[in-house]
Amino acid sequence: MRFWAVIPAAGSGSRMGAALPKQYLPLSGKTVLEHTVQRIARHPLIQGVIVVVAPGDQYVRRLTLPEPKIALSMAGGAERCHSVFNGLTVLAEQAAADDWVLVHDAARPCVRGADITRLIDELRAHPVGGLLGLPVADTMKRTDRDGNVLETVQRDGLWRALTPQMFRLGLLRGALEQALSKNLLVTDEAQAIEAAGYTPRMVEGHADNIKITRPQDLALAELYLQQQESA
């Protein structure tokens, strides 16, 4: 049983309002992407990592990614799902269809090694696979486009989807191919698996596995990294 990882890193990060894509912004002496890749690549069960960047990316070659497990692919697509599918296609050249693949967001540099281990341990015998997540703790509201509250949504059974998300290579690649053929631009791998008729399993992770989306997230990620190092 082998475990691989794909990290889609072709996004522009427009909501950050920065001159660089968010995965290349500085964070605690490295870039966001360097932290993320090292967290995944240094896990002892990960066989290899495919980092998918945009064609013509001018930044990735400047990074220090010394891990021998890492391979770069310049096959990033228009949306995240395209980049993941292209990364899986590259991975299929060396991995078997029934190997496990962990897909992790480039902008989640604080993922804990213990959470990766828990995900693998809980899903390695699962028929489908699943993802890290967090139960929703806040009161949930649904609004219209103008911000007017329409209703309060019951939070029982609601989870925030995190990454990594772990599925068999062949199953995930087929599910994404099917979704893309229907012009369904899924926002995570679990959605593609669900659309193909399967039921992923949720595995609880930690709240510090944040996704850097807005400028204030960088300061929070730096705090989490410092806390993890001192723990």
Side-chain angles (χ1 to χ4, degrees):
M1 186 177 295
R2 296 191 298 177
F3 302 89
W4 306 82
V6 169
I7 299 177
S12 62
S14 57
R15 282 180 288 181
M16 287 293 294
L20 295 174
K22 61 184 177 182
Q23 61 269 29
Y24 298 118
L25 292 174
L27 173 65
S28 295
K30 302 175 183 176
T31 64
V32 171
L33 182 58
E34 285 172 309
H35 281 286
T36 300
V37 171
Q38 289 174 7
R39 286 291 174 105
I40 298 297
R42 289 179 180 175
H43 193 280
L45 293 179
I46 299 297
Q47 185 90 12
V49 182
I50 306 293
V51 181
V52 185
V53 299
D57 187 304
Q58 300 297 312
Y59 306 104
V60 70
R61 301 294 183 185
R62 306 174 192 172
L63 303 188
T64 302
L65 300 175
E67 300 288 346
K69 298 179 180 179
I70 298 168
L72 287 177
S73 170
M74 311 292 282
E79 301 290 343
R80 181 183 186 279
C81 52
H82 298 107
S83 296
V84 173
F85 179 78
N86 293 343
L88 294 175
T89 300
V90 172
L91 180 58
E93 297 176 2
Q94 58 182 313
D98 61 349
D99 283 354
W100 288 103
V101 182
L102 285 74
V103 181
H104 186 61
D105 293 330
R108 291 188 187 271
C110 303
V111 61
R112 300 186 183 198
D115 280 0
I116 300 172
T117 299
R118 182 182 305 111
L119 184 72
I120 290 174
D121 286 347
E122 293 201 20
L123 297 179
R124 64 195 310 160
H126 195 272
V128 176
L131 65 156
L132 288 177
L134 277 176
V136 170
D138 300 315
T139 298
M140 305 299 291
K141 303 287 186 180
R142 178 175 283 112
T143 69
D144 61 19
R145 295 191 178 188
D146 296 322
N148 300 307
V149 175
L150 301 177
E151 63 175 324
T152 299
V153 180
Q154 291 297 319
R155 66 188 178 203
D156 295 345
L158 290 182
W159 290 67
R160 290 171 50 204
L162 308 178
T163 68
Q165 302 193 3
M166 175 175 144
F167 301 98
R168 301 278 187 181
L169 171 58
L171 176 64
L172 179 56
R173 189 181 177 200
L176 282 170
E177 185 173 32
Q178 181 178 350
L180 292 173
S181 71
K182 298 177 180 178
N183 294 318
L184 175 60
L185 300 180
V186 295
T187 56
D188 71 353
E189 292 65 56
Q191 186 182 2
I193 296 293
E194 295 159 34
Y198 298 95
T199 304
R201 180 177 173 182
M202 190 70 79
V203 177
E204 187 167 354
H206 284 83
D208 53 9
N209 185 8
I210 63 169
K211 184 177 182 180
I212 293 175
T213 305
R214 302 186 184 279
Q216 59 266 31
D217 296 333
L218 279 171
L220 186 57
E222 185 169 6
L223 175 62
Y224 283 150
L225 289 175
Q226 291 172 353
Q227 290 177 340
Q228 291 173 1
E229 290 173 1
S230 61

